[in-house]
Amino acid sequence: MNNNILYITNPKLSFTWLENKKRQWLISSINMNSNLTKDTLSEFFISILFECTKPLDKNNILNNFMNLKISRVECEAILEELIKYNILIEKDSKTELSSWIRNYTLSYSDYSKDDVSSQDKQKMIKYNNECNYPEITKLHTGEKYKLKHPSMYKLPKMKKIQDIMNCNSILNSTVISKDLLSGFLFYLFGSQRVGTFHDFMPVLCKSYPSNGARHILDLYICLKDLSWIDDGMYYYNPIEHTLILISDQSIKKKGITLIVTVNYERMQWRYRHSWVYRDVLFELGHFIQHLKFICFGYGISFTEESDDFPGDILSLQDLKEEIAIIVGLGR
């Protein structure tokens, strides 16, 4: 990412207007570790919202806020933190409030018009010229373990659809074989094909739906005490159908643990509004039901886990990614 960031990469970061005696503007943050302090920033924010209707020089902003009983040193520290978290953006040596936050309007495409596709394409080209299109998978470079494609061997037969829908499958707390895990991952999360949108935007097609084919979820797998692979934390590459070792740190939990993370930027790059957090939840819900369907189909037991895997082990980017769910398999 370059310094001219034109959108907020996390839809959960927004401003909230509190109708109380102090009438404050606050930062609302859901399950997010942020150093932004709401008490200190309240008056500062409401001033920015009114003053920054056009690009302003840093010094002009600081000078305008000296009457808020905040020292210049404190203002400079707050300003730098706002810039750090992309709440304020720097553009042509100016500092302004991101228009994505300031404008509380939800853009949409009118598909009754014949030129809606060409208009959307031009908008995406503009976005891409301003800020590069996000990668559709994580670019980890560790040791790779190639998994077999399910067409190369015979998988156990899945249960009947009616039994799965009625949850009549028997779930086994047994060791999952290499071949079964390979097929499980492919049908759960693997790319069925890679398409191209508007002639330049690569998109994944998976076996569960995603709004705009954004596919914002990534899958990490913690493996321990399996005979066919070294212990460690792996990233599952859905295009290559490979496991990529990203950490061999000591893992406590035995067997197979799935860690599903959310990459907000893939959604925000295209839609650029906090409203898409709803679509984040929809996609996560689709994935969870898809996971349960496959587990019931193959008779694999699963449990929701609450282990705290540090973000630095997973190489997650602050505010752009976070852990959504953790699931243990075969126990």
Side-chain angles (χ1 to χ4, degrees), residues 184-219:
F184 175 88
L185 292 176
F186 179 79
Y187 291 120
L188 173 70
F189 208 78
S191 173
Q192 307 304 306
R193 70 181 181 89
V194 179
T196 304
F197 187 55
H198 287 330
D199 300 325
F200 75 95
M201 297 164 55
V203 293
L204 292 178
C205 297
K206 296 184 179 181
S207 50
Y208 64 91
S210 172
N211 181 43
R214 297 293 84 210
H215 283 293
I216 58 175
L217 304 180
D218 285 301
L219 181 60

PDB file of all heavy atoms in Angstrom, residues 184-219:
ATOM      1  N   PHE A 184     -10.994 -32.656   2.240  1.00  0.00           N
ATOM      2  CA  PHE A 184     -11.779 -31.779   3.106  1.00  0.00           C
ATOM      3  C   PHE A 184     -11.445 -30.316   2.832  1.00  0.00           C
ATOM      4  O   PHE A 184     -12.342 -29.483   2.665  1.00  0.00           O
ATOM      5  CB  PHE A 184     -11.498 -32.144   4.567  1.00  0.00           C
ATOM      6  CG  PHE A 184     -12.149 -31.248   5.570  1.00  0.00           C
ATOM      7  CD1 PHE A 184     -13.435 -31.501   6.017  1.00  0.00           C
ATOM      8  CD2 PHE A 184     -11.482 -30.140   6.081  1.00  0.00           C
ATOM      9  CE1 PHE A 184     -14.042 -30.676   6.954  1.00  0.00           C
ATOM     10  CE2 PHE A 184     -12.076 -29.305   7.003  1.00  0.00           C
ATOM     11  CZ  PHE A 184     -13.368 -29.573   7.443  1.00  0.00           C
ATOM     12  N   LEU A 185     -10.152 -29.985   2.780  1.00  0.00           N
ATOM     13  CA  LEU A 185      -9.728 -28.600   2.562  1.00  0.00           C
ATOM     14  C   LEU A 185     -10.125 -28.113   1.172  1.00  0.00           C
ATOM     15  O   LEU A 185     -10.529 -26.958   1.000  1.00  0.00           O
ATOM     16  CB  LEU A 185      -8.219 -28.470   2.758  1.00  0.00           C
ATOM     17  CG  LEU A 185      -7.697 -28.654   4.184  1.00  0.00           C
ATOM     18  CD1 LEU A 185      -6.177 -28.591   4.211  1.00  0.00           C
ATOM     19  CD2 LEU A 185      -8.288 -27.611   5.119  1.00  0.00           C
ATOM     20  N   PHE A 186     -10.006 -28.995   0.176  1.00  0.00           N
ATOM     21  CA  PHE A 186     -10.324 -28.572  -1.195  1.00  0.00           C
ATOM     22  C   PHE A 186     -11.807 -28.211  -1.311  1.00  0.00           C
ATOM     23  O   PHE A 186     -12.152 -27.167  -1.873  1.00  0.00           O
ATOM     24  CB  PHE A 186      -9.972 -29.675  -2.179  1.00  0.00           C
ATOM     25  CG  PHE A 186     -10.289 -29.315  -3.607  1.00  0.00           C
ATOM     26  CD1 PHE A 186      -9.448 -28.498  -4.340  1.00  0.00           C
ATOM     27  CD2 PHE A 186     -11.451 -29.780  -4.215  1.00  0.00           C
ATOM     28  CE1 PHE A 186      -9.745 -28.144  -5.657  1.00  0.00           C
ATOM     29  CE2 PHE A 186     -11.760 -29.438  -5.522  1.00  0.00           C
ATOM     30  CZ  PHE A 186     -10.905 -28.616  -6.239  1.00  0.00           C
ATOM     31  N   TYR A 187     -12.677 -29.075  -0.797  1.00  0.00           N
ATOM     32  CA  TYR A 187     -14.105 -28.814  -0.930  1.00  0.00           C
ATOM     33  C   TYR A 187     -14.590 -27.747   0.047  1.00  0.00           C
ATOM     34  O   TYR A 187     -15.610 -27.090  -0.195  1.00  0.00           O
ATOM     35  CB  TYR A 187     -14.895 -30.101  -0.744  1.00  0.00           C
ATOM     36  CG  TYR A 187     -14.684 -31.081  -1.877  1.00  0.00           C
ATOM     37  CD1 TYR A 187     -14.161 -32.348  -1.644  1.00  0.00           C
ATOM     38  CD2 TYR A 187     -14.982 -30.721  -3.193  1.00  0.00           C
ATOM     39  CE1 TYR A 187     -13.955 -33.242  -2.690  1.00  0.00           C
ATOM     40  CE2 TYR A 187     -14.779 -31.599  -4.244  1.00  0.00           C
ATOM     41  CZ  TYR A 187     -14.266 -32.859  -3.982  1.00  0.00           C
ATOM     42  OH  TYR A 187     -14.059 -33.729  -5.025  1.00  0.00           O
ATOM     43  N   LEU A 188     -13.858 -27.552   1.123  1.00  0.00           N
ATOM     44  CA  LEU A 188     -14.229 -26.513   2.081  1.00  0.00           C
ATOM     45  C   LEU A 188     -13.794 -25.128   1.615  1.00  0.00           C
ATOM     46  O   LEU A 188     -14.570 -24.174   1.658  1.00  0.00           O
ATOM     47  CB  LEU A 188     -13.587 -26.807   3.439  1.00  0.00           C
ATOM     48  CG  LEU A 188     -13.735 -25.711   4.507  1.00  0.00           C
ATOM     49  CD1 LEU A 188     -15.178 -25.624   4.980  1.00  0.00           C
ATOM     50  CD2 LEU A 188     -12.798 -25.980   5.678  1.00  0.00           C
ATOM     51  N   PHE A 189     -12.552 -25.018   1.127  1.00  0.00           N
ATOM     52  CA  PHE A 189     -11.950 -23.698   0.955  1.00  0.00           C
ATOM     53  C   PHE A 189     -11.189 -23.536  -0.356  1.00  0.00           C
ATOM     54  O   PHE A 189     -10.759 -22.442  -0.701  1.00  0.00           O
ATOM     55  CB  PHE A 189     -10.995 -23.436   2.124  1.00  0.00           C
ATOM     56  CG  PHE A 189     -10.818 -21.997   2.475  1.00  0.00           C
ATOM     57  CD1 PHE A 189     -11.777 -21.312   3.208  1.00  0.00           C
ATOM     58  CD2 PHE A 189      -9.686 -21.300   2.072  1.00  0.00           C
ATOM     59  CE1 PHE A 189     -11.613 -19.975   3.537  1.00  0.00           C
ATOM     60  CE2 PHE A 189      -9.505 -19.954   2.397  1.00  0.00           C
ATOM     61  CZ  PHE A 189     -10.482 -19.302   3.125  1.00  0.00           C
ATOM     62  N   GLY A 190     -11.017 -24.617  -1.085  1.00  0.00           N
ATOM     63  CA  GLY A 190     -10.199 -24.559  -2.292  1.00  0.00           C
ATOM     64  C   GLY A 190     -10.844 -23.778  -3.419  1.00  0.00           C
ATOM     65  O   GLY A 190     -12.066 -23.640  -3.494  1.00  0.00           O
ATOM     66  N   SER A 191     -10.017 -23.253  -4.294  1.00  0.00           N
ATOM     67  CA  SER A 191     -10.497 -22.501  -5.456  1.00  0.00           C
ATOM     68  C   SER A 191     -10.952 -23.468  -6.536  1.00  0.00           C
ATOM     69  O   SER A 191     -10.182 -24.317  -6.993  1.00  0.00           O
ATOM     70  CB  SER A 191      -9.384 -21.597  -5.991  1.00  0.00           C
ATOM     71  OG  SER A 191      -9.768 -20.988  -7.203  1.00  0.00           O
ATOM     72  N   GLN A 192     -12.210 -23.337  -6.930  1.00  0.00           N
ATOM     73  CA  GLN A 192     -12.721 -24.172  -8.023  1.00  0.00           C
ATOM     74  C   GLN A 192     -12.230 -23.648  -9.370  1.00  0.00           C
ATOM     75  O   GLN A 192     -12.017 -24.411 -10.305  1.00  0.00           O
ATOM     76  CB  GLN A 192     -14.250 -24.195  -7.987  1.00  0.00           C
ATOM     77  CG  GLN A 192     -14.830 -24.583  -6.626  1.00  0.00           C
ATOM     78  CD  GLN A 192     -14.332 -25.924  -6.126  1.00  0.00           C
ATOM     79  OE1 GLN A 192     -14.435 -26.928  -6.827  1.00  0.00           O
ATOM     80  NE2 GLN A 192     -13.793 -25.956  -4.914  1.00  0.00           N
ATOM     81  N   ARG A 193     -12.029 -22.351  -9.435  1.00  0.00           N
ATOM     82  CA  ARG A 193     -11.384 -21.725 -10.587  1.00  0.00           C
ATOM     83  C   ARG A 193     -11.060 -20.279 -10.245  1.00  0.00           C
ATOM     84  O   ARG A 193     -11.606 -19.715  -9.292  1.00  0.00           O
ATOM     85  CB  ARG A 193     -12.254 -21.787 -11.845  1.00  0.00           C
ATOM     86  CG  ARG A 193     -13.483 -20.912 -11.829  1.00  0.00           C
ATOM     87  CD  ARG A 193     -14.287 -21.057 -13.118  1.00  0.00           C
ATOM     88  NE  ARG A 193     -15.467 -20.210 -13.137  1.00  0.00           N
ATOM     89  CZ  ARG A 193     -15.489 -18.962 -13.589  1.00  0.00           C
ATOM     90  NH1 ARG A 193     -14.380 -18.413 -14.087  1.00  0.00           N
ATOM     91  NH2 ARG A 193     -16.600 -18.253 -13.583  1.00  0.00           N
ATOM     92  N   VAL A 194     -10.174 -19.674 -11.026  1.00  0.00           N
ATOM     93  CA  VAL A 194      -9.831 -18.261 -10.874  1.00  0.00           C
ATOM     94  C   VAL A 194     -10.393 -17.512 -12.081  1.00  0.00           C
ATOM     95  O   VAL A 194     -10.060 -17.829 -13.223  1.00  0.00           O
ATOM     96  CB  VAL A 194      -8.306 -18.044 -10.774  1.00  0.00           C
ATOM     97  CG1 VAL A 194      -7.992 -16.553 -10.654  1.00  0.00           C
ATOM     98  CG2 VAL A 194      -7.738 -18.806  -9.588  1.00  0.00           C
ATOM     99  N   GLY A 195     -11.261 -16.556 -11.818  1.00  0.00           N
ATOM    100  CA  GLY A 195     -11.845 -15.772 -12.898  1.00  0.00           C
ATOM    101  C   GLY A 195     -11.247 -14.374 -12.971  1.00  0.00           C
ATOM    102  O   GLY A 195     -10.352 -14.023 -12.196  1.00  0.00           O
ATOM    103  N   THR A 196     -11.723 -13.580 -13.908  1.00  0.00           N
ATOM    104  CA  THR A 196     -11.266 -12.197 -14.073  1.00  0.00           C
ATOM    105  C   THR A 196     -12.482 -11.294 -14.206  1.00  0.00           C
ATOM    106  O   THR A 196     -13.373 -11.555 -15.019  1.00  0.00           O
ATOM    107  CB  THR A 196     -10.375 -12.039 -15.319  1.00  0.00           C
ATOM    108  OG1 THR A 196      -9.277 -12.938 -15.230  1.00  0.00           O
ATOM    109  CG2 THR A 196      -9.844 -10.610 -15.419  1.00  0.00           C
ATOM    110  N   PHE A 197     -12.502 -10.248 -13.405  1.00  0.00           N
ATOM    111  CA  PHE A 197     -13.611  -9.305 -13.409  1.00  0.00           C
ATOM    112  C   PHE A 197     -13.138  -7.999 -14.021  1.00  0.00           C
ATOM    113  O   PHE A 197     -12.071  -7.490 -13.679  1.00  0.00           O
ATOM    114  CB  PHE A 197     -14.103  -9.095 -11.974  1.00  0.00           C
ATOM    115  CG  PHE A 197     -15.353  -8.274 -11.855  1.00  0.00           C
ATOM    116  CD1 PHE A 197     -16.491  -8.626 -12.554  1.00  0.00           C
ATOM    117  CD2 PHE A 197     -15.391  -7.159 -11.037  1.00  0.00           C
ATOM    118  CE1 PHE A 197     -17.656  -7.886 -12.443  1.00  0.00           C
ATOM    119  CE2 PHE A 197     -16.543  -6.405 -10.911  1.00  0.00           C
ATOM    120  CZ  PHE A 197     -17.673  -6.770 -11.620  1.00  0.00           C
ATOM    121  N   HIS A 198     -13.913  -7.463 -14.950  1.00  0.00           N
ATOM    122  CA  HIS A 198     -13.563  -6.207 -15.637  1.00  0.00           C
ATOM    123  C   HIS A 198     -12.195  -6.286 -16.312  1.00  0.00           C
ATOM    124  O   HIS A 198     -11.466  -5.295 -16.408  1.00  0.00           O
ATOM    125  CB  HIS A 198     -13.595  -5.033 -14.671  1.00  0.00           C
ATOM    126  CG  HIS A 198     -14.966  -4.599 -14.272  1.00  0.00           C
ATOM    127  ND1 HIS A 198     -16.065  -4.731 -15.092  1.00  0.00           N
ATOM    128  CD2 HIS A 198     -15.412  -4.016 -13.118  1.00  0.00           C
ATOM    129  CE1 HIS A 198     -17.128  -4.261 -14.477  1.00  0.00           C
ATOM    130  NE2 HIS A 198     -16.783  -3.841 -13.281  1.00  0.00           N
ATOM    131  N   ASP A 199     -11.802  -7.454 -16.755  1.00  0.00           N
ATOM    132  CA  ASP A 199     -10.595  -7.679 -17.558  1.00  0.00           C
ATOM    133  C   ASP A 199      -9.277  -7.503 -16.805  1.00  0.00           C
ATOM    134  O   ASP A 199      -8.209  -7.714 -17.386  1.00  0.00           O
ATOM    135  CB  ASP A 199     -10.565  -6.748 -18.794  1.00  0.00           C
ATOM    136  CG  ASP A 199     -11.758  -6.955 -19.704  1.00  0.00           C
ATOM    137  OD1 ASP A 199     -12.211  -8.112 -19.818  1.00  0.00           O
ATOM    138  OD2 ASP A 199     -12.241  -5.957 -20.273  1.00  0.00           O
ATOM    139  N   PHE A 200      -9.327  -7.130 -15.518  1.00  0.00           N
ATOM    140  CA  PHE A 200      -8.042  -6.946 -14.823  1.00  0.00           C
ATOM    141  C   PHE A 200      -8.096  -7.358 -13.347  1.00  0.00           C
ATOM    142  O   PHE A 200      -7.056  -7.433 -12.698  1.00  0.00           O
ATOM    143  CB  PHE A 200      -7.584  -5.481 -14.928  1.00  0.00           C
ATOM    144  CG  PHE A 200      -8.331  -4.532 -14.035  1.00  0.00           C
ATOM    145  CD1 PHE A 200      -7.844  -4.192 -12.779  1.00  0.00           C
ATOM    146  CD2 PHE A 200      -9.538  -3.967 -14.453  1.00  0.00           C
ATOM    147  CE1 PHE A 200      -8.538  -3.312 -11.954  1.00  0.00           C
ATOM    148  CE2 PHE A 200     -10.227  -3.088 -13.639  1.00  0.00           C
ATOM    149  CZ  PHE A 200      -9.729  -2.755 -12.387  1.00  0.00           C
ATOM    150  N   MET A 201      -9.263  -7.663 -12.816  1.00  0.00           N
ATOM    151  CA  MET A 201      -9.393  -7.987 -11.398  1.00  0.00           C
ATOM    152  C   MET A 201      -9.551  -9.494 -11.212  1.00  0.00           C
ATOM    153  O   MET A 201     -10.612 -10.050 -11.512  1.00  0.00           O
ATOM    154  CB  MET A 201     -10.600  -7.257 -10.796  1.00  0.00           C
ATOM    155  CG  MET A 201     -10.497  -5.752 -10.824  1.00  0.00           C
ATOM    156  SD  MET A 201     -12.097  -4.916 -10.538  1.00  0.00           S
ATOM    157  CE  MET A 201     -12.604  -5.624  -8.976  1.00  0.00           C
ATOM    158  N   PRO A 202      -8.520 -10.195 -10.735  1.00  0.00           N
ATOM    159  CA  PRO A 202      -8.671 -11.636 -10.494  1.00  0.00           C
ATOM    160  C   PRO A 202      -9.599 -11.898  -9.321  1.00  0.00           C
ATOM    161  O   PRO A 202      -9.570 -11.197  -8.310  1.00  0.00           O
ATOM    162  CB  PRO A 202      -7.238 -12.087 -10.179  1.00  0.00           C
ATOM    163  CG  PRO A 202      -6.555 -10.862  -9.669  1.00  0.00           C
ATOM    164  CD  PRO A 202      -7.173  -9.708 -10.387  1.00  0.00           C
ATOM    165  N   VAL A 203     -10.445 -12.909  -9.460  1.00  0.00           N
ATOM    166  CA  VAL A 203     -11.375 -13.284  -8.399  1.00  0.00           C
ATOM    167  C   VAL A 203     -11.375 -14.800  -8.256  1.00  0.00           C
ATOM    168  O   VAL A 203     -11.167 -15.533  -9.229  1.00  0.00           O
ATOM    169  CB  VAL A 203     -12.809 -12.785  -8.676  1.00  0.00           C
ATOM    170  CG1 VAL A 203     -12.879 -11.269  -8.629  1.00  0.00           C
ATOM    171  CG2 VAL A 203     -13.316 -13.296 -10.017  1.00  0.00           C
ATOM    172  N   LEU A 204     -11.590 -15.254  -7.031  1.00  0.00           N
ATOM    173  CA  LEU A 204     -11.681 -16.681  -6.754  1.00  0.00           C
ATOM    174  C   LEU A 204     -13.129 -17.135  -6.827  1.00  0.00           C
ATOM    175  O   LEU A 204     -14.047 -16.402  -6.448  1.00  0.00           O
ATOM    176  CB  LEU A 204     -11.136 -16.997  -5.366  1.00  0.00           C
ATOM    177  CG  LEU A 204      -9.628 -16.808  -5.145  1.00  0.00           C
ATOM    178  CD1 LEU A 204      -9.276 -17.131  -3.700  1.00  0.00           C
ATOM    179  CD2 LEU A 204      -8.839 -17.684  -6.088  1.00  0.00           C
ATOM    180  N   CYS A 205     -13.337 -18.351  -7.307  1.00  0.00           N
ATOM    181  CA  CYS A 205     -14.647 -18.994  -7.267  1.00  0.00           C
ATOM    182  C   CYS A 205     -14.512 -20.213  -6.371  1.00  0.00           C
ATOM    183  O   CYS A 205     -13.771 -21.147  -6.697  1.00  0.00           O
ATOM    184  CB  CYS A 205     -15.093 -19.403  -8.668  1.00  0.00           C
ATOM    185  SG  CYS A 205     -15.327 -18.011  -9.799  1.00  0.00           S
ATOM    186  N   LYS A 206     -15.193 -20.177  -5.235  1.00  0.00           N
ATOM    187  CA  LYS A 206     -15.127 -21.272  -4.271  1.00  0.00           C
ATOM    188  C   LYS A 206     -16.487 -21.951  -4.167  1.00  0.00           C
ATOM    189  O   LYS A 206     -17.443 -21.581  -4.857  1.00  0.00           O
ATOM    190  CB  LYS A 206     -14.677 -20.751  -2.907  1.00  0.00           C
ATOM    191  CG  LYS A 206     -13.261 -20.183  -2.890  1.00  0.00           C
ATOM    192  CD  LYS A 206     -12.858 -19.767  -1.480  1.00  0.00           C
ATOM    193  CE  LYS A 206     -11.444 -19.217  -1.450  1.00  0.00           C
ATOM    194  NZ  LYS A 206     -11.034 -18.821  -0.079  1.00  0.00           N
ATOM    195  N   SER A 207     -16.566 -22.918  -3.266  1.00  0.00           N
ATOM    196  CA  SER A 207     -17.791 -23.695  -3.142  1.00  0.00           C
ATOM    197  C   SER A 207     -18.788 -23.067  -2.169  1.00  0.00           C
ATOM    198  O   SER A 207     -19.823 -23.658  -1.888  1.00  0.00           O
ATOM    199  CB  SER A 207     -17.471 -25.131  -2.699  1.00  0.00           C
ATOM    200  OG  SER A 207     -16.615 -25.131  -1.577  1.00  0.00           O
ATOM    201  N   TYR A 208     -18.490 -21.895  -1.633  1.00  0.00           N
ATOM    202  CA  TYR A 208     -19.467 -21.147  -0.841  1.00  0.00           C
ATOM    203  C   TYR A 208     -19.497 -19.710  -1.368  1.00  0.00           C
ATOM    204  O   TYR A 208     -18.514 -19.227  -1.929  1.00  0.00           O
ATOM    205  CB  TYR A 208     -19.125 -21.174   0.656  1.00  0.00           C
ATOM    206  CG  TYR A 208     -17.830 -20.492   1.017  1.00  0.00           C
ATOM    207  CD1 TYR A 208     -17.789 -19.140   1.353  1.00  0.00           C
ATOM    208  CD2 TYR A 208     -16.633 -21.186   1.023  1.00  0.00           C
ATOM    209  CE1 TYR A 208     -16.612 -18.500   1.677  1.00  0.00           C
ATOM    210  CE2 TYR A 208     -15.438 -20.569   1.347  1.00  0.00           C
ATOM    211  CZ  TYR A 208     -15.432 -19.228   1.676  1.00  0.00           C
ATOM    212  OH  TYR A 208     -14.245 -18.603   1.989  1.00  0.00           O
ATOM    213  N   PRO A 209     -20.622 -19.008  -1.224  1.00  0.00           N
ATOM    214  CA  PRO A 209     -20.771 -17.691  -1.856  1.00  0.00           C
ATOM    215  C   PRO A 209     -20.052 -16.575  -1.121  1.00  0.00           C
ATOM    216  O   PRO A 209     -19.808 -16.642   0.087  1.00  0.00           O
ATOM    217  CB  PRO A 209     -22.289 -17.466  -1.827  1.00  0.00           C
ATOM    218  CG  PRO A 209     -22.757 -18.249  -0.641  1.00  0.00           C
ATOM    219  CD  PRO A 209     -21.866 -19.456  -0.567  1.00  0.00           C
ATOM    220  N   SER A 210     -19.707 -15.547  -1.879  1.00  0.00           N
ATOM    221  CA  SER A 210     -19.090 -14.341  -1.328  1.00  0.00           C
ATOM    222  C   SER A 210     -19.577 -13.150  -2.137  1.00  0.00           C
ATOM    223  O   SER A 210     -19.563 -13.191  -3.374  1.00  0.00           O
ATOM    224  CB  SER A 210     -17.566 -14.435  -1.392  1.00  0.00           C
ATOM    225  OG  SER A 210     -16.961 -13.205  -1.032  1.00  0.00           O
ATOM    226  N   ASN A 211     -20.018 -12.098  -1.462  1.00  0.00           N
ATOM    227  CA  ASN A 211     -20.517 -10.911  -2.154  1.00  0.00           C
ATOM    228  C   ASN A 211     -19.438 -10.333  -3.070  1.00  0.00           C
ATOM    229  O   ASN A 211     -18.335 -10.005  -2.631  1.00  0.00           O
ATOM    230  CB  ASN A 211     -20.935  -9.856  -1.131  1.00  0.00           C
ATOM    231  CG  ASN A 211     -21.489  -8.618  -1.790  1.00  0.00           C
ATOM    232  OD1 ASN A 211     -22.265  -8.712  -2.740  1.00  0.00           O
ATOM    233  ND2 ASN A 211     -21.093  -7.454  -1.303  1.00  0.00           N
ATOM    234  N   GLY A 212     -19.764 -10.209  -4.357  1.00  0.00           N
ATOM    235  CA  GLY A 212     -18.810  -9.661  -5.309  1.00  0.00           C
ATOM    236  C   GLY A 212     -17.588 -10.530  -5.518  1.00  0.00           C
ATOM    237  O   GLY A 212     -16.569 -10.057  -6.034  1.00  0.00           O
ATOM    238  N   ALA A 213     -17.663 -11.815  -5.137  1.00  0.00           N
ATOM    239  CA  ALA A 213     -16.509 -12.729  -5.224  1.00  0.00           C
ATOM    240  C   ALA A 213     -15.288 -12.151  -4.520  1.00  0.00           C
ATOM    241  O   ALA A 213     -14.164 -12.328  -4.950  1.00  0.00           O
ATOM    242  CB  ALA A 213     -16.184 -13.060  -6.687  1.00  0.00           C
ATOM    243  N   ARG A 214     -15.537 -11.454  -3.412  1.00  0.00           N
ATOM    244  CA  ARG A 214     -14.426 -10.853  -2.654  1.00  0.00           C
ATOM    245  C   ARG A 214     -13.634 -11.915  -1.904  1.00  0.00           C
ATOM    246  O   ARG A 214     -12.437 -11.784  -1.730  1.00  0.00           O
ATOM    247  CB  ARG A 214     -14.956  -9.820  -1.654  1.00  0.00           C
ATOM    248  CG  ARG A 214     -15.664  -8.616  -2.243  1.00  0.00           C
ATOM    249  CD  ARG A 214     -14.720  -7.722  -3.019  1.00  0.00           C
ATOM    250  NE  ARG A 214     -14.519  -8.168  -4.375  1.00  0.00           N
ATOM    251  CZ  ARG A 214     -13.411  -7.981  -5.063  1.00  0.00           C
ATOM    252  NH1 ARG A 214     -12.388  -7.381  -4.522  1.00  0.00           N
ATOM    253  NH2 ARG A 214     -13.317  -8.409  -6.297  1.00  0.00           N
ATOM    254  N   HIS A 215     -14.293 -12.920  -1.405  1.00  0.00           N
ATOM    255  CA  HIS A 215     -13.662 -14.003  -0.638  1.00  0.00           C
ATOM    256  C   HIS A 215     -12.619 -13.464   0.333  1.00  0.00           C
ATOM    257  O   HIS A 215     -11.412 -13.594   0.156  1.00  0.00           O
ATOM    258  CB  HIS A 215     -13.072 -15.052  -1.569  1.00  0.00           C
ATOM    259  CG  HIS A 215     -14.129 -15.942  -2.155  1.00  0.00           C
ATOM    260  ND1 HIS A 215     -14.858 -16.836  -1.393  1.00  0.00           N
ATOM    261  CD2 HIS A 215     -14.612 -16.041  -3.417  1.00  0.00           C
ATOM    262  CE1 HIS A 215     -15.738 -17.462  -2.171  1.00  0.00           C
ATOM    263  NE2 HIS A 215     -15.619 -16.992  -3.397  1.00  0.00           N
ATOM    264  N   ILE A 216     -13.139 -12.860   1.383  1.00  0.00           N
ATOM    265  CA  ILE A 216     -12.318 -12.138   2.350  1.00  0.00           C
ATOM    266  C   ILE A 216     -11.714 -13.035   3.436  1.00  0.00           C
ATOM    267  O   ILE A 216     -10.930 -12.559   4.250  1.00  0.00           O
ATOM    268  CB  ILE A 216     -13.166 -11.051   3.038  1.00  0.00           C
ATOM    269  CG1 ILE A 216     -14.375 -11.699   3.730  1.00  0.00           C
ATOM    270  CG2 ILE A 216     -13.594 -10.002   2.033  1.00  0.00           C
ATOM    271  CD1 ILE A 216     -15.197 -10.749   4.533  1.00  0.00           C
ATOM    272  N   LEU A 217     -12.055 -14.323   3.442  1.00  0.00           N
ATOM    273  CA  LEU A 217     -11.557 -15.212   4.485  1.00  0.00           C
ATOM    274  C   LEU A 217     -10.259 -15.885   4.058  1.00  0.00           C
ATOM    275  O   LEU A 217     -10.072 -16.225   2.886  1.00  0.00           O
ATOM    276  CB  LEU A 217     -12.595 -16.283   4.814  1.00  0.00           C
ATOM    277  CG  LEU A 217     -13.985 -15.782   5.242  1.00  0.00           C
ATOM    278  CD1 LEU A 217     -14.890 -16.965   5.543  1.00  0.00           C
ATOM    279  CD2 LEU A 217     -13.883 -14.848   6.438  1.00  0.00           C
ATOM    280  N   ASP A 218      -9.368 -16.067   5.028  1.00  0.00           N
ATOM    281  CA  ASP A 218      -8.150 -16.852   4.835  1.00  0.00           C
ATOM    282  C   ASP A 218      -8.152 -17.983   5.843  1.00  0.00           C
ATOM    283  O   ASP A 218      -8.737 -17.872   6.933  1.00  0.00           O
ATOM    284  CB  ASP A 218      -6.895 -15.992   5.022  1.00  0.00           C
ATOM    285  CG  ASP A 218      -6.648 -15.075   3.833  1.00  0.00           C
ATOM    286  OD1 ASP A 218      -6.499 -15.589   2.710  1.00  0.00           O
ATOM    287  OD2 ASP A 218      -6.602 -13.839   4.029  1.00  0.00           O
ATOM    288  N   LEU A 219      -7.473 -19.077   5.502  1.00  0.00           N
ATOM    289  CA  LEU A 219      -7.497 -20.265   6.350  1.00  0.00           C
ATOM    290  C   LEU A 219      -6.080 -20.658   6.761  1.00  0.00           C
ATOM    291  O   LEU A 219      -5.208 -20.879   5.913  1.00  0.00           O
ATOM    292  CB  LEU A 219      -8.158 -21.425   5.598  1.00  0.00           C
ATOM    293  CG  LEU A 219      -8.289 -22.748   6.358  1.00  0.00           C
ATOM    294  CD1 LEU A 219      -9.133 -22.569   7.621  1.00  0.00           C
ATOM    295  CD2 LEU A 219      -8.883 -23.825   5.463  1.00  0.00           C
TER     296      LEU A 219
END
